[in-house]
Structure formats: C-alpha cells, structure tokens
Amino acid sequence: MELKNDTFIKALLRQDTDYTPVWLMRQAGRYLPEYREVRANAGGFLDLCRNTDFATVVTLQPVERFNLDAAILFSDILTVPDAMGLGLSFVAGEGPKFAHPIQDENAVKQLAVPDMEKLSYVFNAVASIKQALNGRVPLIGFSGSPWTLACYMVEGGSSREFRLIKSMLYSRPDLLHRVLEINAQAVTAYLNQQIAAGANAVQIFDTWGGVLSDKAFGEFSLQYITKIINGLTKTDADGNPIPVIVFVKGGGLWLEQMANCGADALGLDWTVDIAAARRLVGDKVALQGNFDPMALFGTKQAVEAEVARILAGYGKGNGHIFNLGHGIHQHTDPERVKDLVEAVHSLSKAYH
Ligand code: CP3
C-alpha cells in the first residue's frame, strides 16, 4: 500500500524532506490515559501484546493524539526469549521476570531458535496495525539485540550490575557466544517475519550495549547485530527498501564502528552532541534522536528550546529523524509531547 506520509522512510534513506520527521521510543504506554484504560480492560501488559485488537488499538493511540511521522508495533523485545520457553512474566513494580533463566551449561545447551509459529501473535498484530493505519504513516517493527536479550535471559530479569552475564562473558565466553548466536538467528527470522507481515522499517534495540567494555562491545554485541542485518530482507513485495535502525544506549563512543554495521540509521541517546555525531558518521548513516526524555518534565518553553538546540546541532540537510534518547517516562505530561512534536515540525522547516 502507498504511504501518504513517507517522510520518516525518506529521512532514514537520507533523501530530502520538507521537515524533520519525529516519533518517540515507547510512544504508546502508561503516560497516556487511554492506554491505561485499555490495559486495565485487557488484564496485563502481556495480554495487550498477545491480543491482536488490543495491540492494534494501543499502537494507534499516540498516532491519533499527536502528529507523529511513524507508528511502532506495540509489543516487547522479550517475546523472543519467552518463545524459547524461558517463561516471561511482568511483576507489578519489578519489571520483567523469567521463570527459567539461562544460568548454566546445561541450559545453554538446551537453548534453541524458537518455532516462529509461537510468535504468530506478533506477526498478526503487524498485519492488523498495517490495515488500521491504512497508509497514514509507516509502521516500525523491532527486536532486541542478541546481547540485550541475553542480559535478561541470563540475569532472569532487570539488573544493575550484570554480574551473572559478565561472569559468563569472562569465565565461559564460549557459552555466551552460543547464546548470542542462537539469539541472532532467532532475531533475524523474527524481523523477517515482521517485514513479511508489513513492517516498513525495523529497529534493533541494544539497550545494554553501553555496559560493555570497548573490546567486548565489538565481540559480544556489534558482531551479532551486523550478522542480523546481513540476513534481513532488503525490500518489501513492491520493491520498497526496508531501512534498519540500530539504537545502542550508551553507544556514543562507538559511532564510527557502528556506522559500518550495515544499518541505515543509528539511534543516539542524549549524552551525545548530535553535531559531533554527524561529523563522525559522515554520509554513511542517518541519525535518530537525541532529546533527553526527562527534558519533557520542563516547561513548554524549555521543551521548545531543547528541540531548537538539537535541530540546530544537526544542521541543514537530510538524514535526521527526531526522537528521544530513550523511552518516554511513564509520568510524562502528554501536553509536553504535543509541544515537542509541534516544535519539531515547525522549527525544522528552516533546515530543509
Ligand atoms: O516504543 C513503543 O511504543 C513500542 C513498544 C515497546 C515496549 N517495549 C512496550 C512496553 C518497545 C519497543 C519495547 C522495547 C523494550 N522492552 C526494551 C528496549 C527499549 C528500552 O526501553 O530500553 C526493553 C529493555 C524492554 C523490556 C521491558 N519491557 C522492561 C524492562 C519493561 C518494564 C519497564 C517498565 O517500564 O515497566 C517492559 C514493559 C513494557 N514494555 C511496557 C511497555 C509499554 C510497560 C508495560 C506496562 O506496565 O503497561
């Protein structure tokens, strides 16, 4: 289907646009009262993900409320290890938990690429959202990176120190490489099925890449991300390219390396100077980011000033997609999000 607004796709491919497109990581979620209402009716977060109609409704909520240039599939990165049999649950106030984490050699040996049939609810959601969007804006599919997925799979949930997975990395790197290899194969198949179901672009989230040492980042994260991108379907059925975005939180030190991984665009967190980032990557990739999500807790004027600063930092020309440097916080006022989107659209015209 023809896209009515393809500004986001054009910016990812570094083609000229009339303004800078904008979407927000975690744009559907608890900061929206209409999300909280649907979630209460659905039961829990995973029930939302697994039900095609609920997933479709909440994906469209931010697109209907704000003038966003892309929608992102409502799901989670942890669907993949769940399909591997690790037993995912979300405990209120504690985040994700796995009943069967991968913590010894035996568990690593038994780990396998899951049957994609187990994830058909995700692909059904993609197809349903595409139909509901009716070409309004592109739909982004996504997955976690092999390393970030492994962090949750080995730790059994969220972690501050990553003691268990780093113990494996430094004492049994062979075991960790096996987990990462399986994750890379699973993510490749998973993203290709999302593309087949209608995703117009895909993003790989490496939320925990930044906790690795300089040497380990290349060996345990970027190598596997590169492998995935090499295995992705390049175009849709009509021959339209499917751009790939790689977001490594804390990855600002590795932008030049990352610019060679095959991605069309790199996500920037808020610690990076976007002007310096652009000089480093040259015309190899587009850049997405890099507004501090906490700056949405400032006034309307402060939000606008921060938008202006980032747009000026990137400067004139194509290849910038405005976004946050990480997911939106649940206590964010939706009015400030509206201010941000309007400021990006109006102020960015001067740069195109
Ligand atoms: O961006 C979007 O709007 C699409 C949906 C999306 C979710 N999770 C929905 C979600 C995406 C792209 C993700 C990715 C994800 N999930 C990441 C990578 C990006 C990042 O934020 O770093 C990670 C690490 C996860 C794992 C995860 N899921 C955690 C740690 C948590 C608990 C944290 C929290 O905010 O409670 C989740 C739950 C989750 N995923 C929620 C949403 C909307 C909150 C669920 C709820 O209680 O309603």
Side-chain angles (χ1 to χ4, degrees):
M1 180 192 306
E2 194 91 7
L3 287 168
K4 293 174 192 111
N5 173 358
D6 63 353
T7 316
F8 167 68
I9 300 291
K10 282 191 162 145
L12 288 172
L13 299 171
R14 289 180 295 111
Q15 296 170 2
D16 290 338
T17 58
D18 296 336
Y19 63 90
T20 302
V22 54
W23 69 280
L24 308 177
M25 290 195 273
R26 290 276 187 97
Q27 63 191 21
R30 287 170 296 194
Y31 77 105
L32 293 176
E34 58 269 35
Y35 170 85
R36 295 194 298 269
E37 197 184 316
V38 176
R39 186 182 184 278
N41 291 330
F45 167 63
L46 284 176
D47 300 292
L48 281 182
C49 297
R50 288 176 184 146
N51 180 295
T52 309
D53 294 337
F54 286 142
T56 304
V57 166
V58 295
T59 299
L60 265 74
Q61 285 175 342
V63 176
E64 263 146 25
R65 193 192 255 260
F66 313 111
N67 198 4
L68 296 161
D69 295 290
I72 180 163
L73 161 70
F74 189 84
S75 188
D76 200 79
I77 64 167
L78 302 178
T79 52
V80 170
D82 185 51
M84 290 170 171
L86 274 66
L88 175 64
S89 61
F90 281 87
V91 185
E94 280 181 57
K97 285 270 177 291
F98 283 116
H100 313 291
I102 306 297
Q103 292 171 341
D104 56 31
E105 182 154 8
N106 198 35
V108 172
K109 284 204 170 124
Q110 286 182 12
L111 194 68
V113 176
D115 185 347
M116 288 296 132
E117 192 59 35
K118 290 204 175 99
L119 291 157
S120 58
Y121 65 92
V122 177
F123 315 132
N124 292 339
V126 170
S128 159
I129 295 160
K130 268 291 283 239
Q131 197 170 17
L133 281 171
N134 196 25
R136 250 186 285 178
V137 289
L139 175 62
I140 306 165
F142 70 90
S143 175
S145 73
W147 163 256
T148 289
L149 293 177
C151 286
Y152 290 97
M153 293 161 71
V154 173
E155 299 289 336
S158 299
S159 174
R160 261 186 320 117
E161 297 180 325
F162 301 93
R163 182 171 58 84
L164 299 176
I165 192 161
K166 287 201 171 185
S167 299
M168 191 186 277
L169 188 157
Y170 289 111
S171 63
R172 289 296 306 272
D174 59 313
L175 294 185
L176 184 54
H177 276 302
R178 185 178 142 79
V179 173
L180 295 169
E181 178 60 43
I182 290 167
N183 286 354
Q185 288 176 24
V187 166
T188 306
Y190 183 57
L191 288 176
N192 278 338
Q193 293 250 24
Q194 291 184 35
I195 293 167
N200 300 104
V202 292
Q203 175 156 324
I204 299 171
F205 286 88
D206 192 14
T207 305
W208 302 120
V211 307
L212 287 164
S213 74
D214 176 71
K215 177 176 176 288
F217 175 69
E219 182 181 344
F220 293 92
S221 187
L222 192 58
Q223 180 193 173
Y224 292 96
I225 290 174
T226 307
K227 222 175 196 178
I228 291 167
I229 297 173
N230 282 331
L232 291 181
T233 312
K234 301 278 177 288
T235 54
D236 69 10
D238 302 321
N240 300 305
I242 308 290
V244 181
I245 309 159
V246 171
F247 169 65
V248 179
K249 185 158 170 280
L253 297 167
W254 303 311
L255 289 171
E256 285 166 286
Q257 265 167 276
M258 282 159 40
N260 292 315
C261 75
D264 296 280
L266 300 179
L268 302 175
D269 67 23
W270 61 90
T271 64
V272 178
D273 171 22
I274 197 167
R278 189 179 185 187
R279 284 193 295 274
L280 280 176
V281 302
D283 58 9
K284 278 197 185 136
V285 288
L287 293 174
Q288 176 177 279
N290 71 329
F291 188 101
D292 181 352
M294 292 304 168
L296 287 168
F297 290 90
T299 59
K300 177 176 198 258
Q301 290 70 27
V303 167
E304 288 168 352
E306 192 59 10
V307 168
R309 188 186 69 78
I310 292 169
L311 289 172
Y314 188 83
K316 280 198 186 286
N318 59 41
H320 182 207
I321 301 93
F322 205 97
N323 204 317
L324 307 181
H326 196 207
I328 194 166
H329 190 278
Q330 64 166 309
H331 294 125
T332 304
D333 180 351
E335 282 305 302
R336 292 292 86 72
V337 174
K338 185 162 167 278
D339 297 338
L340 179 144
V341 173
E342 283 174 4
V344 173
H345 282 157
S346 65
L347 299 176
S348 67
K349 291 202 174 81
Y351 295 94
H352 292 271

